[in-house]
Amino acid sequence: MTARVLPDEPRFASASEQLFVQTLQEQLPDDAVLFCNLRFSDRAEDREADLIVAWPGVGVAVVEVKGGSVSLQRGVWRQVGDGVDREIHPVDQAVACKYLLGNYLAEHPRWTAGRPRMAHLVALPATTLPAAFRAPGLARWMAIDRTDVAHAAARIRSALQQVREEPDPPTAGDVEDLVDCLAGTAIPQQHLVAWLAEQEAACDLLTRDQAKVLDLLAGRDRVEITGGAGSGKTWLAVEKARRLAAEGQRVALMCYSRGLAEFLRRRVDKLPKRQRPDYVGTFHHLGIGWGVPEGSDDDSRYWEEFLPAQMVSLARELPESERFDAIVVDEGQDFAESWWDAVLAALRDPATGALHVFSDEGQRIFARQGRPTVELESFSLVENLRNTKQIAGTFSSLAPGMRVRGLSGMPVRFVPCASEQAVDVADDVAAALLEDEDWPPESVALLTTHQRHPVQRERQAEGQDAYWATFWDDEDLFYGHVLGFKGLERPVVVLAVNGFRDEARAREMLYVGLSRARDLLVVCGDLELIRRVGGEAVARRLTTERQQ
């Protein structure tokens, strides 16, 4: 038995640091715990402790670990590694983290043992200190150099025994309480939020590279841009609408889904006023705004026959000022063939007016079929930019021809269960993400593939506008169905594969569900069902990621 290390797979700045931790782990008793890369913050500072050693009956040591070649000249510490020479402050860092840890425990509701015996040390596992080493704030017995690594645990014990005016060391029970208090702080929520923001920024930068596609197609008025999930189509649709509006054209930006329409409106609201399209919303709401009577959500004939026919008729009577120079359609594969005549009728010049369509045939999950009724020049996007490599790899077999270019991230998690249990299991997973892993509620969505989640049904009973407002609510996670989540994303998606209404469309629905997560994907369901509808490659990736 060896000491525990938390988190299970810590990251290290250098090989010597990793070897030092592994060697120390082997030297310590099995009731000791090593915490790696813990961040602490107060109102004044934000610090990361490289290593905290909690040793029952001995004490708590905060160790700043510096790999590479480290030297101290005229009171200035320097570190050379990977060809870089930098000034460092290992003693200040160790002392600051020791006090931040003490303050954190003093304010933690689960910690009742009082301040434990603590000491700070500096470990230099690749550097040999001179015999006459002296440093302000760091006695030789508080330093561990290359010659000390073989008995590092003994050095830590000796240091904790030498500190003066320190309280008693923690008991074995205290150390377990410490695990309870610290295990969730590897990425405290404020840092997790910052990390999510960095991930989003990095994705947006990659997505902005796609603007070169619009540059290439500038001046072409009738274009269809196709691409798989994560290729940045929605960003491009907004950007194309923005460019057209900035040129002084009257522009409509439309889609089928209410949720995506609200997302587009919120994106457009952030643009300068002169760059905003004149209409942003669903195709159907445009017609209702012209005067078509509203129909029932359950009346497919109304949506696919009556409304588009009425729109064509009403468009002829619209003054030219209410029609458009250009129309941009996102998720164009959702449009029925009967809708395209109404789209063209909304143009000032139906024969030559600009039409830009963004679509993904792999996400055609509705029974209706339809293609634009006019000829469009086609251009394909072949790079996935918005999903992590792990997530994109999971559904890559469902989107052949796409190259994965996104960031590396967390392994995809798979929780095996029967289809009828998938929602309950997903609830437990989501609760653990929020309560145990500290993910912000607004970063998480729980999606289903068949029956809607009970919470979704409750929220939709209050009306679609009220329901979709919860997508931007930071008080709770979002509950949705893959059918309504097309074109949207969340940093974290818990996908409950609770069966499929029509297995003929199951492959496309699974593709949509797997691709909605940007940073972390958790799949709950029956592996055999997933294999049957999604193929062996998807099932193999899910189980492989789970083993990792």
Side-chain angles (χ1 to χ4, degrees), residues 416-495:
C417 62
S419 297
E420 57 270 21
Q421 298 172 334
V423 170
D424 290 338
V425 171
D427 277 336
D428 292 339
V429 169
L433 289 171
L434 269 59
E435 297 169 11
D436 299 337
E437 299 186 32
D438 227 14
W439 287 91
E442 67 270 20
S443 71
V444 182
L446 193 160
L447 306 181
T448 58
T449 59
H450 188 202
Q451 299 292 339
R452 292 173 297 165
H453 192 283
V455 175
Q456 181 183 358
R457 291 199 294 268
E458 291 175 8
R459 293 178 177 178
Q460 287 183 319
E462 299 176 7
Q464 291 293 341
D465 290 342
Y467 165 66
W468 280 107
T470 66
F471 183 82
W472 286 270
D473 184 2
D474 60 3
E475 298 298 322
D476 196 8
L477 70 156
F478 180 77
Y479 295 87
H481 191 282
V482 294
L483 286 175
F485 213 74
K486 291 172 73 282
L488 301 174
E489 67 176 33
R490 263 294 199 262
V492 183
V493 166
V494 181
L495 178 64

Side-chain angles (χ1 to χ4, degrees), residues 318-366:
L318 287 175
E320 187 171 302
S321 61
E322 292 186 27
R323 289 188 282 175
F324 304 98
D325 299 302
I327 294 176
V328 179
V329 176
D330 193 23
E331 299 292 340
Q333 76 280 350
D334 292 344
F335 278 41
E337 186 169 339
S338 60
W339 301 354
W340 290 106
D341 286 344
V343 170
L344 294 171
L347 289 167
R348 287 173 173 167
D349 187 342
T352 63
L355 177 62
H356 299 268
V357 180
F358 297 80
S359 61
D360 178 6
E361 289 297 314
Q363 296 188 61
R364 188 181 287 277
I365 60 179
F366 298 104

Side-chain angles (χ1 to χ4, degrees), residues 57 138 167 209 229 288 408 410 422 486 488 507 520:
L138 190 72
D209 286 348
I288 291 169
S408 183
M410 305 174 185
K486 291 172 73 282
L488 301 174
R507 180 182 175 89
L520 174 62

Side-chain angles (χ1 to χ4, degrees), residues 287-288 290-293 307 309-319:
I288 291 169
W290 289 349
V292 180
L307 183 141
Q310 289 294 304
M311 289 178 67
V312 171
S313 177
L314 290 171
R316 299 191 187 103
E317 303 171 8
L318 287 175

Side-chain angles (χ1 to χ4, degrees), residues 243-322:
R243 293 185 180 192
L244 292 168
E247 293 171 1
Q249 298 193 47
R250 181 171 167 80
V251 181
L253 172 60
M254 64 177 67
C255 62
Y256 163 71
S257 162
R258 290 185 177 98
L260 180 57
E262 181 61 22
F263 174 81
L264 294 174
R265 279 192 288 268
R266 290 177 182 245
R267 287 291 296 267
V268 164
D269 283 347
K270 297 177 181 178
L271 297 175
K273 197 167 185 178
R274 65 180 184 85
Q275 298 179 14
R276 297 175 191 171
D278 296 272
Y279 174 79
V280 182
T282 64
F283 161 76
H284 302 96
H285 192 265
L286 178 65
I288 291 169
W290 289 349
V292 180
E294 294 194 46
S296 167
D297 281 358
D298 299 325
D299 185 355
S300 61
R301 291 189 63 185
Y302 167 84
W303 298 105
E304 298 184 21
E305 298 178 20
F306 176 79
L307 183 141
Q310 289 294 304
M311 289 178 67
V312 171
S313 177
L314 290 171
R316 299 191 187 103
E317 303 171 8
L318 287 175
E320 187 171 302
S321 61
E322 292 186 27

Side-chain angles (χ1 to χ4, degrees), residues 397-414:
S397 62
L398 305 178
M402 291 292 290
R403 295 195 298 267
V404 178
R405 191 183 162 200
L407 305 173
S408 183
M410 305 174 185
V412 172
R413 307 179 193 177
F414 175 62

